[in-house]
Amino acid sequence: MERDEITIDLREMVLYVARKWKLLVLCMVILAVLCDVFSFASSAKGKKDEAAEAKKKIETIKEVDEVDQAFGAYSKYKEQYDNTFDYISGSVMMGLDASAVAKDSIVYRISSEDAIDIAKSLESFTADDALCKSMADILGCEEKYAGELVSVKNTTGEVSLGNVKMDLTIDSAVVVVTVYSSDEAKLTDLGNVVSSSFESYAASMSNTYGQFGIEQVAQQQGMISDSELADNQQNTNATLDSLKSAMDSFGTSFTAEQTKYFEALKDNMKADDKEKEISYINVKYIVLGAAAGFILPAIILAILYILSRKLKAVSDVSDSFRVDVLGNVVDGTDKAKAQEQIEYICAQLAVLAEKSQKKNIVFASTVDSKNLAGIDEIADKAIGKTLSDAKYAGAVLTDAKALKVLEAAEGVVLIEKLFATTYNDFEKELQLCKRLNVPVVGCIVVR
């Protein structure tokens, strides 16, 4: 029997590609990662190549050394500038308005023979982690910037603190705990947690100086103009400006080629800084990689589908080889479901066999049991239930016993599996049936 021209069913081809979705997803992930890595690597290499090329164009080693030395100094200034800039940007203290700042001044009097020494020692009080956390929780700021809002100053010798008169004896001293706040409403809460921490710290100094007296004698809260805070802010901003000026001064006397090399080195530093700040993700390249990971494998699968010389669709059996399709069984379903499907097909055959007076019907295939994945065994059981005189022969092209069973049959039902049975084998099977004068009743297709 000659087969008709094989036609490609686009719907079946799309379904075939879609059934390979796990492979497509894997390819998408792999190419997306590779493209992102390529983007990062090529970008970094491009920057380094620019610096290397600029360096080659400089005429003397001395000029190269001049640039390298200048860049080394520039890098140190740049690091200091970045640290200062980050501090100014995040610091609560630097964000305060010195002309009207919320300030709490808590005055303590120390009574002891060593009062002066104790007062000087208390100036070393700084906010510990627990205090910083408490202050940060109140202000809603970062813990690392909370500690600088507290300071302790030995004011012994000053006759007054604002409106508070200092009444000191020879065995007494005064320290002032200062607390700044970005919100006047939170100043009292801050003062309470700071004074509690400070008093605990002062109590611990009794191990060094013995028992001494310390009492809070005054407290001033409110919005004030603070010149000391203003000076500190001004000095910090001036430091940032001087660092910027120093950085800008490098390279002013370089030749054109030295300048290109110096700028390329600076660009490399900027690229390194970006790598530290952001993740190595390039969304554009990831999307392109994922798209390529889907499209290219899909095209390859479609080409392989078209070029395949195996049965690809149920229509190949009915349209190209003109063999009736009695039904199809989906491979991979549970055996009970497959047996139920085959039993239904066999029931139809029993009716046809009775009408045509054909009792000896054989089930045969071109593929072995391994490729049928147990469907042949299920078919054998189903045949016994519905067709008492029928039997399963097996692979008639390779099994001599199956061939003898086929030879004695009055009709044959073929069981073939898509993407396992080749066109040539199926055609040979049909020709064999024709030579043995065994009519083909139909075909069961395993998908």
Side-chain angles (χ1 to χ4, degrees):
M1 176 185 290
E2 292 185 1
R3 66 172 182 260
D4 293 341
E5 183 179 352
I6 302 294
T7 57
I8 302 297
D9 188 330
L10 291 178
R11 178 176 173 276
E12 288 291 337
M13 183 175 71
V14 171
L15 289 175
Y16 169 77
V17 173
R19 281 192 289 269
K20 305 291 184 181
W21 66 270
K22 290 183 180 179
L23 175 63
L24 294 176
V25 170
L26 179 62
C27 291
M28 289 173 67
V29 172
I30 291 174
L31 279 183
V33 172
L34 290 177
C35 285
D36 187 47
V37 171
F38 170 78
S39 169
F40 170 72
S42 60
S43 175
K45 184 176 182 299
K47 292 294 183 183
K48 291 179 180 178
D49 286 348
E50 288 179 13
E53 288 299 320
K55 183 177 181 179
K56 291 178 182 178
K57 294 179 181 180
I58 299 178
E59 296 180 356
T60 66
I61 297 177
K62 180 182 177 182
E63 290 179 330
V64 172
D65 290 340
E66 289 175 353
V67 176
D68 289 338
Q69 290 175 7
F71 180 72
Y74 173 88
S75 300
K76 294 179 180 179
Y77 278 109
K78 180 69 164 60
E79 183 179 2
Q80 295 177 33
Y81 177 87
D82 290 341
N83 292 337
T84 305
F85 182 84
D86 291 341
Y87 167 73
I88 292 174
S89 300
S91 170
V92 177
M93 181 75 80
M94 291 300 297
L96 298 177
D97 181 3
S99 63
V101 63
K103 181 179 178 181
D104 186 0
S105 298
I106 309 169
V107 184
Y108 287 92
R109 180 165 57 200
I110 302 164
S111 300
S112 171
E113 293 179 357
D114 301 315
I116 300 298
D117 293 335
I118 294 173
K120 291 179 180 178
S121 297
L122 287 173
E123 284 186 305
S124 63
F125 170 79
T126 56
D128 58 14
D129 292 343
L131 178 57
C132 286
K133 185 178 185 309
S134 298
M135 294 178 66
D137 290 341
I138 294 172
L139 293 174
C141 67
E142 292 185 55
E143 290 182 27
K144 64 180 179 179
Y145 295 122
E148 64 181 352
L149 297 173
V150 180
S151 63
V152 178
K153 185 179 180 182
N154 174 16
T155 60
T156 303
E158 297 182 17
V159 295
S160 65
L161 176 67
N163 297 325
V164 180
K165 296 283 186 179
M166 295 291 104
D167 183 17
L168 300 178
T169 64
I170 191 169
D171 292 332
S172 63
V174 173
V175 293
V176 178
V177 179
T178 302
V179 184
Y180 292 102
S181 174
S182 56
D183 185 348
E184 186 179 10
K186 298 176 180 179
L187 199 55
T188 299
D189 291 336
L190 284 175
N192 291 337
V193 297
V194 171
S195 61
S196 176
S197 178
F198 175 76
E199 288 168 10
S200 297
Y201 177 79
S204 68
M205 299 192 74
S206 61
N207 296 329
T208 304
Y209 295 100
Q211 294 299 320
F212 61 90
I214 181 169
E215 61 177 325
Q216 181 179 327
V217 295
Q219 185 172 9
Q220 292 182 338
Q221 286 185 352
M223 302 293 291
I224 66 168
S225 177
D226 193 304
S227 59
E228 185 177 354
L229 174 61
D231 290 341
N232 289 337
Q233 292 176 334
Q234 186 176 358
N235 290 337
T236 303
N237 287 318
T239 299
L240 186 71
D241 292 338
S242 63
L243 289 170
K244 183 67 169 62
S245 300
M247 289 163 55
D248 292 340
S249 67
F250 288 106
T252 54
S253 61
F254 285 161
T255 63
E257 298 302 332
Q258 283 179 307
T259 300
K260 289 181 181 178
Y261 177 41
F262 185 68
E263 292 299 324
L265 292 175
K266 287 167 63 176
D267 288 341
N268 284 351
M269 177 183 285
K270 292 177 183 177
D272 291 339
D273 289 341
K274 284 186 176 181
E275 289 167 20
K276 295 175 184 176
E277 293 172 4
I278 62 175
S279 59
Y280 305 119
I281 294 176
N282 188 317
V283 176
K284 175 182 175 182
Y285 277 83
I286 289 175
V287 172
L288 288 175
F294 174 80
I295 294 172
L296 293 178
I299 291 174
I300 293 172
L301 288 172
I303 292 173
L304 292 176
Y305 180 89
I306 294 170
L307 297 179
S308 173
R309 309 311 298 165
K310 296 178 180 179
L311 295 178
K312 297 186 283 288
V314 176
S315 58
D316 288 348
V317 176
S318 58
D319 298 341
S320 300
F321 291 94
R322 297 190 296 278
V323 176
D324 291 337
V325 177
L326 301 176
N328 62 82
V329 180
V330 179
D331 186 17
T333 57
D334 60 271
K335 290 190 175 183
K337 182 70 179 288
Q339 184 164 344
E340 182 182 332
Q341 292 172 330
I342 293 179
E343 282 181 2
Y344 177 73
I345 294 169
C346 290
Q348 297 179 64
L349 287 173
V351 175
L352 293 174
E354 186 176 350
K355 287 185 178 181
S356 61
Q357 300 298 313
K358 293 179 181 177
K359 300 296 183 182
N360 187 13
I361 295 178
V362 171
F363 286 71
S365 180
T366 63
V367 294
D368 56 22
S369 299
K370 181 180 179 181
N371 284 323
L372 285 176
I375 297 296
D376 56 341
E377 297 177 8
I378 296 171
D380 206 3
K381 294 177 182 178
I383 291 165
K385 290 183 179 180
T386 56
L387 294 172
S388 58
D389 295 330
K391 62 181 69 176
Y392 180 80
V396 295
L397 295 183
T398 57
D399 189 341
K401 292 181 180 180
L403 183 59
K404 288 182 179 181
V405 173
L406 177 64
E407 188 177 6
E410 295 177 351
V412 62
V413 175
L414 305 176
I415 301 178
E416 304 301 338
K417 185 176 181 181
L418 300 184
F419 298 102
T421 301
T422 65
Y423 292 142
N424 289 338
D425 285 348
F426 192 50
E427 190 171 11
K428 288 177 183 178
E429 187 178 40
L430 294 174
Q431 290 173 352
L432 177 62
C433 294
K434 185 177 181 181
R435 286 198 304 271
L436 295 177
N437 199 27
V438 179
V440 176
V441 179
C443 182
I444 300 173
V445 179
V446 182
R447 299 178 66 88

